[in-house]
Amino acid sequence: MTKITLPRLLAALGAAFTLTLLSPMPAAVQARELPDFVKLYEDNAPSVVSIRVTQTLGRRPSRGQRGEDGGPNRDEMEEFFRRFFGPGGPGGQGRPREFRRQGGGSGFIIASDGFIITNHHVVDDADEVMVRLTDRREFKARVIGKDQRTDIAIIKIDATGLRPVKIGDPSALRIGEWVAAIGQPLGFETTLTTGVVSAKARASRGGDRTGDLVPFIQHDAAVNPGNSGGPLFNSRGEVVAVNSMIATFSGGFQGISFAIPIDLAMDVVAQLRASGSVRRGMLGVNIGPVSRELAEAFGLPRGQGAVVSSVTRGSAAEKAGIRQGDVILRFNDRPVEESSDLPRLVTSVRPGTPATVQVWRDGKALELTVTLDEWSEPTTVAAAAPSAPSRAAPSPASKVDKLGLALRAPNERERTASKVERGGAVIDDIADNANVRSLNEGDLVTAVTIKGRTTSIDSAAQLADVLAKAEKGTTIAFRVKRPLPQGGEYVDLFATERMPE
């Protein structure tokens, strides 16, 4: 038996401890280390620019409108000067009626010969755009092109030998990954802020016109007014997005910032540089979300996709065989998780390009091929004046005791306004004690879907019979044409109701 003396034991333990200290850290431990933000800043700050814009407004704010700081507006100030200095004094008739407003934002260099990306809203309607580099040189910039729907603009300065940023891959970003923003928040030039990716493919909720086409990257690096148009970097110093907006109640940073993925921005920039405009594909459908109840009625395993509430006549969708009531599950082999995903996927494809669409119909998935039209801004169609009510005697109502609905046939006026030439059933009344959540009085039901099977409604009596035979606890999807409150126009939608137990 070998004896281990105390000195030998201590020496062995010391050697083991030394080897442990010298051995490399596991990858998981290294991954938890902070990025080198010092190097990131030093390498990339020279590629970030500050932008100052000047806009000449052709008319003053309307009387009674307060100044931006809550003080007197221009009308009130001019009236004050007229009283004390006369019409020739400050603010009098000799003073021009136009005035100039200044603003600013950020941008970043994408080519050594002076091409710079920023936001559309930074340079929109600007009379003069000035760019300031980190070496304090200033240049007057030309707006090469801008796209309001993605909030992207490309500008150019007459300079050479500039340092462009490195472009990264936003699809490789993971939730929780470190990111950094550089810009001029509140006018403080070349400011670095850091945070993590909070979410991806976000639709903004501020009512802006970019939310339906841009899958925003949400992050919590501090972004304030002045950061707009500046870059968002990943931990490797690559630009992955363009900072565009924040969600806030105060007007300042509250931890929710939104950035436009750089691949989308670069595609827009390429089109703007080539032709001065952006072309996007269009499918030609009106869509809605797929709720849990709607998924149950359609026989889908979960609430996913975009349900087609209507198909535009003569559109790419109609030519491809897409129907009202289809649920679009995939587009070009990319999943449509939320209905808001579909417009982004469709508009990212050029018009005239074939694309594959997977739809759910009658309880099974179908693959269709569609050649996209060219996307255009939706227009508001004036509502037709309601025609005179039909003089024919109203059809007798069919009672549906299970749901508490009173049904009847559409009259002539309703058929004309809804464009339903035959069939259908109008919900004439809903009982006070009815357990109905989605249907409204006046809804015109054209079809119902139960357990994945769709039945067209030919009459009020037929709908009453279908509902009477429905099993207790069954969820039913009603395909509905609903009159708008102002009258004269109907919208297509789906409403779900559950049969009482």
Side-chain angles (χ1 to χ4, degrees), residues 114-126:
F115 283 96
I116 295 168
I117 288 181
T118 186
N119 282 148
H120 172 280
H121 75 260
V122 170
V123 298
D124 188 32
D125 294 329

Side-chain angles (χ1 to χ4, degrees), residues 193-216:
T193 55
T194 63
V196 298
V197 176
S198 305
K200 295 176 65 176
R202 234 4 153 209
S204 67
R205 301 176 182 177
D208 60 282
R209 302 176 71 245
T210 64
D212 57 342
L213 300 188
V214 176
F216 285 105

Side-chain angles (χ1 to χ4, degrees), residues 208-387:
D208 60 282
R209 302 176 71 245
T210 64
D212 57 342
L213 300 188
V214 176
F216 285 105
I217 295 170
Q218 181 185 329
H219 64 92
D220 67 350
V223 168
N224 282 286
N227 273 114
S228 291
L232 184 73
F233 295 94
N234 61 19
S235 59
R236 294 175 295 281
E238 301 165 333
V239 174
V240 289
V242 184
N243 287 309
S244 177
M245 65 180 69
I246 59 176
T248 177
F249 290 106
S250 66
F253 174 69
Q254 290 189 285
I256 302 178
S257 307
F258 297 101
I260 303 159
I262 193 62
D263 55 349
L264 185 152
M266 294 300 288
D267 177 65
V268 169
V269 164
Q271 293 191 62
L272 290 174
R273 291 184 64 177
S275 64
S277 62
V278 180
R279 300 184 68 208
R280 301 182 175 95
M282 184 174 71
L283 194 55
V285 294
N286 289 322
I287 57 173
V290 179
S291 64
R292 179 180 58 82
E293 295 81 6
L294 203 59
E296 182 179 338
F298 285 158
L300 281 165
R302 62 188 179 94
Q304 173 211 351
V307 61
V308 177
S309 56
S310 65
V311 179
T312 303
R313 185 170 297 179
S315 66
E318 185 184 57
K319 294 173 184 175
I322 296 175
R323 302 177 187 173
Q324 184 184 39
D326 286 348
V327 178
I328 298 177
L329 300 177
R330 303 182 73 86
F331 183 85
N332 268 352
D333 205 33
R334 297 178 67 180
V336 179
E337 293 293 340
E338 305 286 343
S339 59
S340 57
D341 294 338
L342 185 61
R344 304 170 194 160
L345 296 174
V346 172
T347 55
S348 67
V349 178
R350 299 288 188 273
T353 304
T356 57
V357 182
Q358 184 187 70
V359 302
W360 182 265
R361 181 188 300 167
D362 295 331
K364 59 181 181 294
L366 302 174
E367 295 285 342
L368 303 174
T369 301
V370 58
T371 301
L372 297 177
D373 297 327
E374 183 160 3
W375 183 88
S376 59
E377 287 283 358
T379 56
T380 301
V381 180
S387 57

Side-chain angles (χ1 to χ4, degrees), residues 68-88:
E68 292 184 1
D69 59 355
N73 64 24
R74 186 177 178 87
D75 283 332
E76 294 168 343
M77 291 301 296
E78 288 189 355
E79 179 62 25
F80 171 83
F81 284 120
R82 275 193 295 270
R83 286 185 181 182
F84 287 91
F85 297 98

